Amino acid sequence: MDIKILEHCISCGRCARVCPSGVFTQAKKGETVSVSKPENCIRCGHCVAACPAAAVEHEVFPPEKVHPIDRSQLPTPESLMLLIRSRRSNRDLSRRPVPRELLEQIVEAAHRAPTASNLQQVEFTIVSNPDELRAVIEFTLDYMRQMVKLLEMPIVGSLARRLVKGADRYAATFRRILQEWDEEQRDRILRGATALLLIHTPAKNRFGAIDAQLAYQNGSLMAEALGVSQIYTGFLITALKADKSGKLARKLGIRGTIHAGMALGMPASTWGNYIDKEPLKAEWR
């Protein structure tokens, strides 16, 4: 890795303090900073982002990739907290498709999330084709049918109830969802969303699930800021975890493991209020 400290370095030592991998060395405050272990670099860019004198030359981050931050444009703590308090899973969706430019901003926000060891192996698939969306729904419903059938079997069902807490409650929910689909074509999986964001990583990524959830949270907040309704697809993810063959991923042309899904749609109505959650539980030590 080609990393250099340029002559106009002011020896503030920020690069050494923020680097997570020990690439830089500064013996004492105010002394010369040196690049001691460039082979440790994980390409996070902390050094370049932190340097107040633009004195770190990094082959991965040439000047055109470095952008100043206008902190006056950042949201206030109050406005950010209001956005967080306002964020809900709005299932009252219209049939209007989510504009492409809004989807792109949501995916960009998700892509900006941190990843373990800065591997940046999180990938995204945006499904908006009606036939593929229906295939996702059917895949999830097939899983529900299998679970209901399993729980109805005398011996196997009894064992499943012992192993899975709340199995009967889930079975009742699945039966209701299946009945509504079969009789009314009522979609309780994607809730009529016109787009589905799937977040996936290579199968061998140890931290794929965590990285995907971090990406999801970024995307969810951006969707809220843009006025796009987002719903976590818990039933779909449960079905995917049970499908060891990767059937749906192959059908959608996805390589790797799908860890999270966000159903997206334009709201038919918006919230006028936010409500308090249960009292905060935190211990200060």
Side-chain angles (χ1 to χ4, degrees):
M1 186 68 65
D2 187 11
I3 307 170
K4 298 176 182 177
I5 302 295
L6 303 180
E7 291 182 356
H8 58 273
C9 171
I10 61 175
S11 300
C12 67
R14 289 188 188 179
C15 55
R17 293 196 299 273
V18 302
C19 177
S21 304
V23 171
F24 304 91
T25 300
Q26 185 183 40
K28 294 181 181 179
K29 186 177 181 179
E31 292 189 357
T32 301
V33 177
S34 62
V35 180
S36 56
K37 296 182 179 179
E39 68 276 9
N40 288 359
C41 181
I42 61 171
R43 304 157 64 100
C44 68
H46 285 356
C47 55
V48 178
C51 182
V56 179
E57 185 179 272
H58 197 301
E59 68 170 294
V60 178
F61 307 103
E64 62 269 21
K65 283 192 172 185
V66 182
H67 310 280
I69 299 172
D70 181 357
R71 294 196 170 273
S72 68
Q73 297 297 310
L74 297 180
T76 65
E78 293 78 14
S79 63
L80 178 57
M81 183 59 77
L82 181 59
L83 178 69
I84 291 170
R85 287 170 172 164
S86 302
R87 185 247 175 266
R88 301 187 70 83
S89 298
N90 188 351
R91 295 173 174 81
D92 183 17
L93 304 182
S94 72
R95 294 309 303 164
R96 290 181 295 131
V98 181
R100 173 68 178 260
E101 59 269 23
L102 300 188
L103 291 172
E104 289 175 350
Q105 290 183 71
I106 292 168
V107 175
E108 169 67 10
H111 172 63
R112 287 281 178 174
T115 58
S117 299
N118 194 45
L119 290 176
Q120 299 187 51
Q121 292 183 333
V122 180
E123 299 179 2
F124 307 90
T125 296
I126 300 88
V127 181
S128 57
N129 179 288
D131 291 337
E132 291 185 334
L133 290 173
R134 187 179 180 90
V136 169
I137 294 169
E138 291 285 7
F139 168 82
T140 310
L141 294 175
D142 283 345
Y143 162 76
M144 291 182 174
R145 291 187 185 97
Q146 292 172 20
M147 289 300 99
V148 169
K149 184 177 180 180
L150 182 68
L151 289 168
E152 288 176 346
M153 298 173 66
I155 299 177
V156 178
S158 177
L159 178 60
R161 288 183 183 88
R162 294 179 185 177
L163 296 175
V164 181
K165 186 177 180 180
D168 285 327
R169 179 170 59 85
Y170 287 123
T173 299
F174 290 171
R175 290 189 188 95
R176 175 176 54 79
I177 291 173
L178 289 166
Q179 182 178 2
E180 291 181 357
W181 175 260
D182 292 339
E183 296 179 358
E184 308 169 41
Q185 288 289 285
R186 182 173 295 180
D187 169 23
R188 297 296 191 185
I189 307 303
L190 300 183
R191 302 284 179 165
T194 58
L196 171 65
L197 172 60
L198 296 173
I199 307 175
H200 44 94
T201 67
K204 294 183 179 180
N205 186 327
R206 290 180 56 205
F207 303 101
I210 297 171
D211 289 349
Q213 297 305 323
L214 291 171
Y216 183 98
Q217 186 64 13
N218 265 25
S220 176
L221 290 175
M222 176 56 78
E224 189 71 31
L226 293 169
V228 177
S229 293
Q230 73 284 329
I231 306 164
Y232 185 78
T233 55
F235 289 135
L236 169 60
I237 299 305
T238 300
L240 285 167
K241 288 181 178 179
D243 176 33
K244 304 304 181 184
S245 68
K247 175 183 176 181
L248 183 63
R250 289 198 308 274
K251 187 177 184 65
L252 298 175
I254 294 173
R255 292 185 178 182
T257 303
I258 302 171
H259 298 287
M262 185 189 305
L264 296 160
M266 298 307 296
S269 61
T270 57
W271 311 109
N273 307 286
Y274 72 81
I275 61 173
D276 291 335
K277 297 179 74 69
E278 293 297 317
L280 175 66
K281 297 177 182 179
E283 291 187 11
W284 302 86
R285 302 291 182 92

